[in-house]
Structures are given as C-alpha cells and as structure tokens.
Amino acid sequence: MTVRTAGRPATAAATLHALINTVRAHGLRVSTARRVVLEALVAAQRPLTADEIAAARLDLGSVYRNLETLESIGVVHHVHLGHAAGRYELTGRTAGWATCQACGRSTPLDAEAVTAIAAVVRAATGFAPSFTHFPIVGRCPDCTLERSLA
Amino acid sequence: MTVRTAGRPATAAATLHALINTVRAHGLRVSTARRVVLEALVAAQRPLTADEIAAARLDLGSVYRNLETLESIGVVHHVHLGHAAGRYELTGRTAGWATCQACGRSTPLDAEAVTAIAAVVRAATGFAPSFTHFPIVGRCPDCTLERSLA
DNA sequence: ATACTTGCAAATGATTTGCCAGTGT
DNA sequence: ACACTGGCAAATCATTTGCAAGTAT
C-alpha cells in the first residue's frame, strides 16, 4: 500500500509533518531521536554534519543510523563539501553544490545552472551528472579574480 | 652520466628521470622509498591508493608522507573516486575524471570535454572548475540506458 | 657530519557495528 | 507483545603524527 503525501519533499517548504508522514508511509517508527534529526534538518540553513545534528542531545551512532535510514527512503541525502565530514540535508533543497578549492566556501547552485551544465556534460561525456553528492570543485569568482591579479 | 637499463620503455624511464630531477630541484632527497613511490605511479595504468603503492614493500605512513611531499611540489595529486580511499596519480596524466554513482566505475576525461564543460560552468556559476580532485559524478552512459529501459 | 627520511606504533577523525535495554505501534 | 530503536562502547578505515634509528648528500 502506498501513502501519498500532499507535497513533494522537493522544496524548503517540506514540512516536518510531511516528512513524518513519509517515514510512517515506509513502515518506519517515529521515535524521538528520528524526530529530532528531522527537526534539525528542517531548521538548518545549510547541510549539517552528524555531529552538529547530535549536538549533545543524541548519540552519534543513532544519528548516523537514522540518517542512513532516512537516506534509504529518499528524504535525506549527504554531500561532501571538501575533505571534512559529510553533511546532510533534506532532499530537494538545492539543485547542487559548488565548492571553492582555494577559500573552502560552498555555494548552492540554482536549477537553471545545473540544467545547462548537465546538458553539456552529457553531450561531451555521455554522463548524466549530479552535483548533489559531490560538488563542482574549482575556484570561486573571488579566488579566480585574486589569482588573475597576482 | 646516464645508465640506460635494457628492456625498460624509454618513455617511462624518461618520465621517472624527469620526476627525480624535479625532486632534486626542490632540494629533496631521492630515498629508496621515494623512488619506489614514483616508480609505482609511473608504471600505474590508473590512480593508485596509498595501500596499493605500499604493497608490502614500504611502510604506509612513509608512503602517505611521500605522497604529501610529492603533492607539495606539484608532481603528484590525488582524486576521490567515490567513498573509497583516495587515489594518487602523476600530475597531468588526465584532464579530469567522471565516476558513475550506479556502477562505481570511473573514466578519465579528455581535454576537449573538460574545456567545453569548464566554459559552461564558468558562464553559469562563475566558478573555474577542476575535475582532477573531485570527479564529475553521475550515471554513466550504460547505467543511464539501463534506467531508461526499466 | 647533518639533516632529511624511514619504519613502527600510537593517535586521530569519521563512520560503522554489536549488544541489550527501551519504546513506538 | 514484538519488532524496531536508542544509547554506549568497541571496532573499522583512511590518514596523520611522535620518535628513535637509518641514510642521502
């Protein structure tokens, strides 16, 4: 049996309620820890590390297990913004990421940019790329300018 | 004075020699371990893990230290092809990498493809991208076909 | 002779896992 | 009640680092 929720978890507007419905629809329980993880991700302004999500209230191991479970049902995914710990966010919050190898800052990509880039990547390589798991890595505008001035 | 070993491919020998010259030019010593690391990378048909380079002949810690030193003088760099251990290769061997998130295989990119993609990325985002440290991640042609047939 | 390097081992940091008590349904 | 979960601790994996002995120059 499939339970269809009102909205897609595709925008920042994906409410905690909708996410919890999805969890239930997959036959999973809504435990306190699971709810806390979801609340943290809903409130976050950027992808969070497991450590940030645990934040003294939850066991790190439980957080990782929950994130894995939530990834398996598609409501959460993680991104590697550089060499640091992986970061988790609600699915659909961004179209992709770009990280500067010089200053380390990361920026979300808008859908149009990703669409344009994906078309060229596909034409040039045959790959249908995604920049939500590994970002586009390079020099950001600021750091590119710096280098050209040096 | 140069001693040429019979049977060794001239290109590989020339490359190793040039690499060793670069090491010396930076005031670094050419120790046995350092030479073994370089030889392994020259002979490799694909990027190697530190573990593969160590291969029972060298200490893993020394391999990592050597790779770090060789990266600092620009003759080596590493790439993250998925969640596994980092892989090291000689600088300039490839223009970039693409990794399939479905089958896990990685493919080197040719310079023209990278140039075309970089132009679009720069136009759409302002970033000057590089795909030698983090690959383009997506579905390869085979796995994209599979999905479309499913 | 004098640094630079190595091997060995212990330390880190991130993530995973075994176990058993606790709790959501 | 019963299976799913949580907390705690130990285990992995990849990589880094302290240190005393070894060696390239």
Side-chain angles (χ1 to χ4, degrees):
Chain A
M1 177 190 291
T2 300
V3 175
R4 202 170 256 290
T5 48
R8 288 244 167 286
T11 68
T15 66
L16 180 61
H17 183 79
L19 292 167
I20 288 176
N21 277 349
T22 304
V23 169
R24 286 220 165 87
H26 282 268
L28 298 170
R29 295 181 184 174
V30 181
S31 64
T32 306
R34 191 159 287 160
R35 188 187 301 267
V36 169
V37 169
L38 287 173
E39 285 171 354
L41 292 174
V42 167
Q45 298 302 303
R46 61 195 180 97
L48 303 175
T49 62
D51 213 69
E52 291 170 341
I53 295 170
R57 313 211 280 139
L58 297 175
D59 176 69
L60 243 189
S62 298
V63 169
Y64 274 112
R65 259 187 295 232
N66 267 303
L67 290 171
E68 187 189 354
T69 299
L70 294 171
E71 285 204 297
S72 75
I73 63 173
V75 304
V76 163
H77 71 98
H78 71 275
V79 57
H80 300 278
L81 303 177
H83 281 170
R87 292 185 168 273
Y88 297 77
E89 67 178 347
L90 297 179
T91 299
R93 278 234 171 151
T94 65
W97 290 91
T99 299
C100 179
Q101 59 194 128
C103 68
R105 270 177 289 216
S106 296
T107 327
L109 300 173
D110 52 68
E112 308 89 74
V114 170
T115 301
I117 295 164
V120 173
V121 169
R122 194 150 187 179
T125 71
F127 271 71
S130 161
F131 305 112
T132 53
H133 183 196
F134 283 91
I136 289 177
V137 177
R139 298 181 78 91
C140 70
D142 288 353
C143 293
T144 299
L145 180 61
E146 270 174 37
R147 166 172 276 185
S148 73
L149 295 176
Chain B
M1 179 186 296
T2 300
V3 175
R4 207 168 253 292
T5 307
R8 184 186 295 168
T11 55
T15 302
L16 181 60
H17 182 93
L19 291 167
I20 288 176
N21 277 349
T22 303
V23 168
R24 286 219 165 84
H26 282 267
L28 298 170
R29 294 181 184 175
V30 181
S31 64
T32 306
R34 190 159 290 160
R35 188 188 301 267
V36 168
V37 169
L38 287 173
E39 286 172 353
L41 291 174
V42 167
Q45 298 302 303
R46 63 194 178 99
L48 303 176
T49 62
D51 213 70
E52 289 169 343
I53 295 170
R57 312 212 280 139
L58 297 175
D59 176 68
L60 242 189
S62 298
V63 169
Y64 274 112
R65 260 186 296 231
N66 267 303
L67 289 170
E68 186 189 356
T69 299
L70 294 171
E71 285 204 297
S72 75
I73 64 174
V75 304
V76 163
H77 71 97
H78 70 276
V79 57
H80 300 278
L81 304 176
H83 281 171
R87 291 185 168 274
Y88 298 77
E89 66 178 346
L90 297 179
T91 299
R93 279 237 171 147
T94 65
W97 290 92
T99 300
C100 180
Q101 59 193 127
C103 68
R105 271 177 288 215
S106 295
T107 329
L109 299 174
D110 53 68
E112 309 89 74
V114 170
T115 301
I117 294 165
V120 173
V121 169
R122 194 151 187 177
T125 70
F127 271 71
S130 161
F131 305 111
T132 52
H133 183 197
F134 284 90
I136 290 177
V137 177
R139 297 181 77 92
C140 69
D142 288 353
C143 293
T144 298
L145 179 61
E146 269 173 37
R147 166 171 275 185
S148 73
L149 295 177

